[in-house]
Amino acid sequence: MSTTTVETSAAVTKDSPAPAPGRVRRRGESGPLACLASHGILIVASLVALFPVAWLVFLSLGPDKDDYLHPGRIWSKMTFDNYAFVLQHTNFFDWLTSSLIVSLGTTLLGVLVAATTGYAVSRMRFPGYRKFMWVLLVTQMFPVAVLMVPMYQIMADLQLIDTYLGLILVYCSTAVPYCAWLLKGYFDTIPFEIDEAGRVDGLSPFGTFFRLILPLAKPGLAVAAFYSFITAFGEVAFATTFMLDDQKYTLAVGLQSFVSEHDAQRNLMAATAVLIAIPVSAFFYLVQKNLVTGLTAGGTKG
């Protein structure tokens, strides 16, 4: 009799539909309203970030220098004449060449010096290595106005005024301290066993650094390179002081030529600013794959 009861219960259980399982929210998972709110905030933030760029492009299409006062009139007379004038009747390509020489030179030299510095402090324990990094940090605290006069005197003594090399060295003095700190934190995340394996295989310290460590540090190097490039590409104060020949002006300095004491050609400034943004955007596209990884990896140790 007990057997019959068990079989009947099993049959009823087998034939009855199973209850639909409810979706269980995982710990830390946002609800629908929170997800909607976060997406809305991100959309608004994106629009706020894109608006100045879109507005600059819009003003660059106005043919008159005072169109920024009446932007609604631009719709009926949009033209690319401003871009044609900048490319054909100014020294734009000379400015672009100077900017690329200085920016790429600062990037290559600055990243090389910062990488060797950060690796030495990360791996070697020489006397005063901690104080050395703090000295690099202190150099970032001085304003440009304070550094201008002594740097100019040094560059004049070395006969590097109005030369690309002199401007590259000046920019490296500002980019290397930050990049050294950044790369030191990234090198700390690379296991010491890799250095030991290189020594076992007969590599010198330089061979270990260039053949084993640098390939693993590509994300950190990408961030350092991007920072060095942007620092040199958009800097104005040092470039205005140390570059005297208008053929050697960088883009940031050349942009000032559209503004004088009595006149301001804002339509040409807007068109030039849009053209200036193109090389920076291209460089960002080349390194953007490693930027996020490089920015976050160095924060685990230090």
Side-chain angles (χ1 to χ4, degrees):
M1 184 174 180
S2 60
T3 303
T4 304
T5 304
V6 171
E7 291 178 352
T8 304
S9 301
V12 172
T13 303
K14 183 177 179 180
D15 296 336
S16 60
R23 185 177 182 275
V24 179
R25 185 186 303 173
R26 297 179 180 178
R27 179 180 297 180
E29 184 180 358
S30 302
L33 294 179
C35 184
L36 181 62
S38 62
H39 280 75
I41 293 174
L42 290 175
I43 292 174
V44 173
S46 300
L47 293 177
V48 171
L50 291 175
F51 176 77
V53 179
W55 186 252
L56 184 67
V57 175
F58 178 69
L59 293 180
S60 69
L61 299 176
D64 301 325
K65 62 182 180 180
D66 296 327
D67 282 337
Y68 73 97
L69 297 175
H70 309 283
R73 301 176 183 176
I74 298 178
W75 292 105
S76 60
K77 53 181 180 180
M78 284 187 178
T79 179
F80 290 96
D81 291 344
N82 295 328
Y83 293 94
F85 181 88
V86 170
L87 295 177
Q88 297 176 6
H89 302 287
T90 66
N91 295 328
F92 177 82
F93 290 104
D94 293 334
W95 303 338
L96 177 61
T97 301
S98 299
S99 294
L100 291 178
I101 291 174
V102 172
S103 301
L104 295 177
T106 302
T107 301
L108 294 175
L109 182 60
V111 171
L112 177 61
V113 174
T116 53
T117 302
Y119 179 74
V121 177
S122 176
R123 293 297 195 264
M124 304 174 186
R125 294 299 177 261
F126 52 88
Y129 75 97
R130 292 184 182 275
K131 296 180 179 179
F132 174 72
M133 293 301 292
W134 284 109
V135 168
L136 291 179
L137 185 62
V138 169
T139 60
Q140 300 290 88
M141 300 179 182
F142 295 97
V144 174
V146 175
L147 300 174
M148 193 74 69
V149 175
M151 281 188 173
Y152 189 92
Q153 184 63 45
I154 294 173
M155 292 294 107
D157 293 340
L158 297 176
Q159 297 182 354
L160 293 177
I161 297 295
D162 199 28
T163 63
Y164 293 132
L165 178 59
L167 194 57
I168 289 173
L169 293 177
V170 170
Y171 287 156
C172 285
S173 67
T174 60
V176 166
Y178 172 79
C179 293
W181 269 94
L182 173 72
L183 292 175
K184 188 266 181 187
Y186 194 89
F187 289 139
D188 286 343
T189 64
I190 299 177
F192 285 85
E193 289 77 9
I194 296 179
D195 299 70
E196 296 175 356
R199 286 193 293 268
V200 170
D201 291 339
L203 293 176
S204 64
F206 282 100
T208 302
F209 174 67
F210 285 105
R211 298 181 62 180
L212 299 181
I213 302 300
L214 284 186
L216 297 176
K218 285 183 179 180
L221 295 174
V223 177
F226 185 72
Y227 174 80
S228 301
F229 185 87
I230 293 298
T231 299
F233 198 83
E235 202 278 332
V236 178
F238 286 127
T240 305
T241 304
F242 293 107
M243 304 303 283
L244 307 178
D245 187 358
D246 57 356
Q247 300 295 325
K248 295 182 180 180
Y249 282 170
T250 59
L251 285 169
V253 180
L255 189 63
Q256 292 183 328
S257 64
F258 296 110
V259 180
S260 62
E261 184 179 356
H262 304 288
D263 189 22
Q265 297 173 308
R266 302 186 186 277
N267 56 329
L268 300 180
M269 285 184 61
T272 307
V274 174
L275 294 174
I276 290 175
I278 295 176
V280 179
S281 302
F283 188 79
F284 175 80
Y285 177 78
L286 293 176
V287 301
Q288 57 91 20
K289 293 182 180 180
N290 296 319
L291 278 180
V292 176
T293 305
L295 285 171
T296 56
T300 57
K301 290 185 180 180

